[in-house]
């Protein structure tokens, strides 16, 4: 039971005489008991965007939020903030000796109770970014959770980067109930017992009550054979800030065809709105959106570039639990003329925004979320300039299959979370003489990444990519970005990829405080017609020495291109002319390469073009059974150098215990 101020006690007791609901509550000892849930007194009428907040290191009672103690939620003050126990027992007022793991908060029933005034909130946690452990939120929700009744529902994880600075993690929750059912409270932070969490501020912003819009209301029908794009777009155009757009699930239902996409679906096509959600009616059975044979361009895109949309205003958009099928069997990357130009292929758009052949914006790919980025800011200060960046995209549980060419999933912006997505079959890697194409109507070159992204402070967690044909997960640069717990798998037969996971900063050269950790890369493709060339690759020199012309973004490098360049030590490329790019770890910064496993790649780990001004932290990276792939340069030579299967190769710079060999040829 929550502690109630005396001035509210009389009102509360009166309410309890008339109603008392019993709900399961988890105790600090893991025992579920029954405890009464109080009926609130008359609630305050707080407007949308009101902020409930607390500074837990300075106050126990904040603005409608109270810090709790006792059991496993005791905490301690440190330097104006407050920290959790990390599984250790902290001193407690009541003398309990329960190990402490949580920081728990109760929201005043006068401000919020029972999903009123809204079920949608934004939670901002300002934390000390010290260590590389994780934390989550657990909260009292409308439904779900480990007990099926909405108690202790858990958010996605936040991963720390060890920058030593205070950073803010933002969680958008659209199913909150906040009825004191989580140990008599409403929300708590879990330190996962993998490290303590030091918290300076917690703020909960009340968002608009979501309106749920189902696309079938506008005439879309996943049970017929009529294209649905226009009807879907009509419904999406109605969505306002905070709304939820749903697609009807039913892939295993008799007669279900899925939504037939003949024109790219633009999530935002006119006035940008924040906090939008796009999902299936049943997350356990994602709705199908399938490209038709005449779709030009991507199946789904964040916005059209031809209609004057400002993508920097599309913040905190959630896309979850949909199945996008690119229909590789019927679509073509480039036709008989060998050019991606829309004449006899599926390159292009239904809008007048594709005029230059080969423009990747118009490729027949899967999902593309090209958020706004400030290309003039080498510091990547997106929090200081939110009007220049798309921030806070969440992509969760998506299933993307059968992509023709272009990326299966592209994204830009800042502070996004990509978690638990599955990508299967993208493009066609096979290009050696005598090797059969997987997609036999195409020529050579219709390669496709699984995930292509750039920008600062992204979390790319627990995704699975099967049979990409360019790179499984490729990152084009940015600070504070984490690639953790993902799996890239090239299966047997004529399947292959140039890389499993790669950090290639073609856009933002500073990758400080980033991580490639605890990932799994498996290569089982044929040694002549497939396989992965480099399992995990840091630095872009594998790609022809990473020579670039006319740099217009904050890329790092020195003018000119040579086989043995000097490290730039963080220097930016000139605005014009040729430059050799590097991935740069800034002074006093770190980069973590740890806990990864690569099996069967031609080179397990390749570091080439990494500008270490700060520190590379490398440990516990396992390479098993490296094996040959269809890597032509390895067999026939690159600048007179050949190589067979190798575990760990480092050149520019060399690393202790790694093979020092120059690899400047991707094919």
């Amino acid at each position: 039971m929550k502690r109630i101020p005396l001035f509210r006690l009389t009102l509360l007791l009166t309410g309890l005489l008339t109603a008392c609901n019993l709900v399961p509550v988890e105790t600090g000892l893991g025992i579920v008991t029954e405890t009464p849930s109080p009926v609130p007194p008359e609630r305050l009428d707080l407007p949308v965007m009101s902020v409930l907040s607390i500074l837990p290191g300075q106050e126990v009672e904040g603005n409608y939020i109270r810090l709790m103690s006792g059991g496993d939620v005791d905490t301690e003050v440190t330097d104006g903030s407050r920290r959790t126990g990390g599984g250790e027992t902290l001193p407690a007022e009541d003398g309990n000796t329960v190990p402490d793991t949580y920081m728990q908060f109760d929201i005043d029933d006068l401000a919020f109770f029972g999903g009123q005034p809204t079920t949608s909130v934004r939670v901002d946690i300002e934390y000390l970014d010290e260590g590389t452990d994780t934390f989550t939120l657990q909260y009292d929700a409308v439904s779900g959770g480990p007990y099926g009744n909405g108690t202790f529902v858990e958010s996605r994880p936040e991963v720390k980067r060890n920058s030593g600075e205070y950073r803010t993690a933002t969680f958008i929750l659209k199913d909150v109930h906040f009825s004191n059912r989580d140990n008599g409270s409403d929300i708590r932070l879990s330190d996962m017992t993998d490290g303590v969490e030091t918290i300076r501020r917690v703020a909960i912003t009340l968002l608009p009550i979501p309106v749920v819009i189902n696309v079938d209301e506008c005439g879309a029908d996943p049970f017929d054979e009529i294209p649905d794009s226009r009807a879907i777009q009509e419904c999406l155009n109605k969505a306002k800030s905070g709304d939820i757009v749903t697609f009807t699930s039913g892939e295993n239902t008799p007669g279900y065809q899925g939504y037939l996409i003949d024109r790219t679906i633009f999530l935002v096509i006119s006035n940008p709105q924040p906090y939008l959600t796009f999902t299936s009616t049943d997350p356990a059975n994602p709705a199908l959106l399938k490209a038709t044979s005449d779709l030009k361009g991507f199946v789904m895109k964040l916005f059209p570039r031809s209609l004057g949309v400002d993508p920097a205003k599309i913040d905190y958009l959630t896309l979850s639990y949909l199945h996008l099928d690119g229909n590789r069997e019927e679509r073509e990357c480039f036709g008989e003329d060998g050019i991606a130009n829309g004449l006899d292929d599926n390159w292009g758009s239904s809008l007048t925004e594709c005029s230059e052949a080969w423009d990747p914006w118009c490729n027949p790919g899967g999902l593309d979320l090209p958020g706004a980025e400030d290309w003039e800011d080498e510091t990547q200060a997106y929090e200081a300039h939110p009007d220049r960046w798309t921030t806070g995209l969440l992509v969760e549980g998506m299933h993307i299959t059968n992509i023709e060419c272009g990326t299966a999933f592209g994204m830009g912006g800042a502070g996004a979370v990509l978690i638990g997505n599955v990508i299967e079959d993208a493009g066609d890697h096979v290009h050696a003489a005598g090797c059969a194409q997987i997609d036999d109507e195409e020529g050579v070159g219709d390669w496709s990444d699984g995930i292509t992204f750039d920008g600062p402070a992204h979390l790319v967690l627990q995704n699975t990519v099967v049979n990409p044909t360019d790179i499984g997960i490729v990152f084009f640069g940015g600070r504070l970005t984490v690639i953790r717990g993902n799996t890239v798998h090239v299966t047997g037969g004529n399947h292959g990829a140039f890389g499993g996971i790669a950090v290639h900063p073609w856009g933002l050269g500073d990758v400080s405080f980033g991580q490639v950790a605890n990932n799994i890369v498996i290569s089982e493709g044929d040694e002549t017609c497939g396989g992965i060339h480099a399992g995990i690759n840091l630095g872009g020199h594998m790609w022809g020495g990473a020579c670039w012309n006319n740099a217009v973004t904050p890329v790092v490098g020195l003018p000119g291109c040579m086989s043995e360049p000097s490290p730039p030590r963080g220097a930016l490329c000139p605005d014009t002319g040729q430059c050799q790019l590097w991935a740069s770890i800034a002074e006093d910064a770190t980069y973590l390469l740890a806990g990864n496993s690569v099996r069967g790649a031609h080179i397990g780990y390749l570091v080439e073009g990494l500008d270490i001004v700060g520190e590379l932290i490398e440990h516990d990276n396992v390479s098993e059974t490296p094996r040959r792939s269809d890597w032509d340069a390895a067999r026939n030579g690159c600048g007179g150098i050949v190589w067979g299967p190798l575990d760990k190769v480092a050149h520019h710079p060399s690393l202790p215990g790694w093979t020092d060999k120059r690899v400047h040829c991707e094919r």
Side-chain angles (χ1 to χ4, degrees):
M1 178 72 69
K2 64 193 294 184
R3 293 175 291 176
I4 305 297
L6 290 177
F7 78 91
R8 293 169 49 199
L9 186 58
T10 302
L11 287 174
L12 179 58
L13 289 175
T14 301
L16 287 175
L17 289 175
T18 59
C20 186
N21 300 319
L22 294 179
V23 295
V25 171
E26 181 191 57
T27 70
L29 299 177
I31 302 171
V32 178
T33 63
E34 299 287 323
T35 190
S37 175
V39 174
E42 184 176 353
R43 185 175 48 78
L44 297 173
D45 187 17
L46 296 179
V48 169
M49 305 309 290
S50 294
V51 179
L52 321 178
S53 63
I54 189 170
L55 303 173
Q58 303 175 30
E59 55 193 14
V60 174
E61 293 192 39
N63 181 37
Y64 300 111
I65 299 180
R66 170 176 290 181
L67 176 71
M68 307 300 286
S69 61
D72 55 5
V73 302
D74 290 308
T75 54
E76 61 182 356
V77 173
T78 173
D79 297 327
S81 298
R82 187 175 288 268
R83 65 187 174 202
T84 63
E88 301 294 328
T89 299
L90 297 177
E93 291 182 9
D94 62 4
N96 79 80
T97 58
V98 178
D100 293 300
T101 302
Y102 303 98
M103 188 177 296
Q104 185 164 291
F105 301 96
D106 176 34
I107 300 171
D108 194 325
D109 290 352
L110 286 172
F112 204 123
F113 186 89
Q116 297 293 330
T118 180
T119 58
S120 184
V121 299
R122 166 178 172 163
V123 182
D124 291 301
I125 308 291
E126 189 176 356
Y127 67 94
L128 178 61
D129 185 25
E130 192 172 75
T132 56
D133 52 288
T134 61
F135 66 84
T136 65
L137 297 183
Q138 295 177 355
Y139 62 101
D140 180 357
V142 173
S143 62
Y147 306 111
N149 64 350
T151 59
F152 302 101
V153 169
E154 192 160 49
S155 74
R156 57 87 178 172
E158 175 71 7
V159 180
K160 296 191 295 188
R161 284 76 156 184
N162 203 30
S163 68
E165 302 173 347
Y166 275 93
R167 305 189 64 251
T168 299
T170 298
F171 303 83
I172 308 301
L173 310 178
K174 292 198 171 181
D175 60 345
V176 297
H177 201 248
F178 288 172
S179 297
N180 316 320
R181 299 182 302 165
D182 289 2
N183 286 350
S185 297
D186 299 301
I187 193 167
R188 67 183 185 180
L189 181 148
S190 171
D191 65 24
M192 311 292 284
T193 70
D194 60 356
V196 302
E197 310 305 334
T198 302
I199 307 301
R200 186 158 68 182
R201 181 173 185 265
V202 175
I204 299 176
T205 304
L206 308 186
L207 300 180
I209 300 173
V211 173
V212 178
I213 304 170
N214 185 269
V215 297
D216 299 0
E217 299 169 7
C218 299
D221 188 348
F223 289 91
D224 65 20
E225 297 182 359
I226 301 172
D228 297 291
S229 292
R230 287 175 174 82
I232 292 172
Q233 195 66 62
E234 180 184 341
C235 258
L236 268 60
N237 295 350
K238 296 178 180 180
K240 304 299 182 183
S241 176
D243 285 352
I244 300 172
V245 178
T246 63
F247 295 77
T248 299
S249 299
E251 276 197 273
N252 299 320
T253 304
Y256 187 89
Q257 304 289 321
Y259 297 95
L260 303 181
I261 309 303
D262 62 332
R263 299 161 64 97
T264 298
I265 300 301
F266 294 103
L267 298 176
V268 177
I269 203 168
S270 55
N271 184 27
Q273 302 284 342
Y275 306 113
L276 295 174
T277 295
F278 304 87
T279 191
S280 293
T281 55
D282 180 5
N285 182 20
L288 172 64
L289 286 75
K290 183 173 182 178
T292 65
S293 60
D294 53 356
L295 170 65
K296 292 186 179 296
F298 281 82
V299 179
M300 185 176 281
K301 213 171 182 76
L302 183 62
F303 70 100
R305 65 183 179 186
S306 59
L307 298 182
V309 177
D310 181 1
K313 296 180 180 179
I314 309 174
D315 294 324
Y316 299 104
L317 178 149
T318 297
L319 186 64
S320 64
Y321 303 107
L322 298 171
H323 178 188
L324 305 188
D325 186 333
N327 193 6
R328 181 173 68 170
E329 294 79 5
E330 295 184 311
R331 294 214 291 166
E332 293 189 29
C333 182
F334 40 80
E336 293 182 3
D337 61 4
I339 302 173
N341 55 13
L343 297 179
D344 53 359
D345 53 49
N346 294 93
W347 179 94
S349 174
S350 60
L351 303 175
T352 56
E353 55 185 9
C354 296
S355 58
E356 183 179 346
W358 298 107
D359 182 348
W361 181 275
C362 308
N363 281 338
L367 169 64
D368 194 23
L369 305 177
E373 298 177 69
D374 185 358
W375 295 114
E376 297 182 358
D377 180 11
E378 65 182 83
T379 67
Q380 308 171 33
Y382 69 96
E383 292 176 308
H385 303 287
D387 57 326
R388 304 175 191 172
W389 299 81
T390 298
T391 307
L393 301 180
L394 171 61
V395 183
E396 181 175 13
M398 294 290 289
H399 189 196
I400 304 174
T401 60
N402 302 320
I403 301 306
E404 177 52 39
C405 70
T407 186
F409 176 14
M411 191 203 67
V417 179
L418 316 181
I419 184 168
N421 303 288
V422 176
I423 297 168
E424 297 180 275
D425 300 323
D428 194 337
H429 177 80
V430 177
H431 52 86
C435 294
Q437 297 287 112
I438 301 296
D439 186 13
D440 58 11
E441 86 259 10
E442 292 288 0
V444 173
D446 55 328
W447 304 309
S448 176
D449 297 326
I451 300 175
T452 310
F453 73 110
D454 62 6
H458 299 311
L459 295 177
V460 180
L461 310 173
Q462 304 162 23
N463 302 284
T464 299
V465 181
V466 180
N467 292 332
T469 54
D470 196 336
I471 298 176
I473 300 174
V474 59
F475 176 48
F476 287 162
R479 293 167 52 89
L480 296 159
T481 284
V482 173
I483 303 171
R484 178 187 281 194
N486 305 281
T487 298
V488 177
H489 186 189
V490 164
T491 64
N494 290 5
H495 293 288
F498 300 115
I501 297 174
V503 176
H504 292 163
W506 310 129
L508 298 168
D510 187 352
V511 298
S512 299
F513 299 113
Q515 300 175 27
V516 176
N518 303 337
N519 302 285
I520 297 173
V521 177
I522 302 171
S523 176
E524 297 175 325
D526 184 82
E527 294 188 18
T528 301
C529 298
I532 294 179
H533 296 185
I536 295 179
N537 174 209
L538 302 186
H541 286 189
M542 165 183 172
W543 297 83
C547 291
W548 199 258
N549 278 299
N550 300 321
V552 294
T553 63
V555 289
V556 170
L558 296 175
C561 290
M562 56 195 71
S563 60
E564 298 295 346
S566 299
R569 299 195 62 77
L572 297 183
C573 285
D575 293 337
T576 59
Q578 199 175 58
C579 186
Q580 196 159 14
L581 275 55
W582 295 64
S584 185
I585 307 170
E587 186 176 6
D588 298 325
T590 61
Y591 198 92
L592 179 64
L593 177 68
N596 301 287
S597 174
V598 178
R599 175 163 56 87
H602 197 126
I603 294 179
Y605 300 83
L606 176 61
V607 171
E608 194 173 33
L610 187 61
D611 180 35
I612 305 177
V613 185
E615 179 184 6
L616 172 67
I617 301 173
E618 186 270 319
H619 60 82
D620 297 324
N621 295 294
V622 176
S623 172
E624 297 182 84
T625 59
R627 51 197 291 272
R628 290 188 181 276
S629 66
D630 65 354
W631 200 345
D632 181 71
R635 288 181 167 86
N636 299 319
C638 175
I641 299 173
V642 297
W643 55 90
L646 294 165
D647 286 309
K648 298 179 180 180
V649 174
H651 190 69
H652 304 151
S654 59
L655 297 176
W658 290 43
T659 300
D660 190 340
K661 185 178 290 289
R662 189 178 72 237
V663 178
H664 276 188
C665 299
E666 65 273 18
R667 290 191 283 279

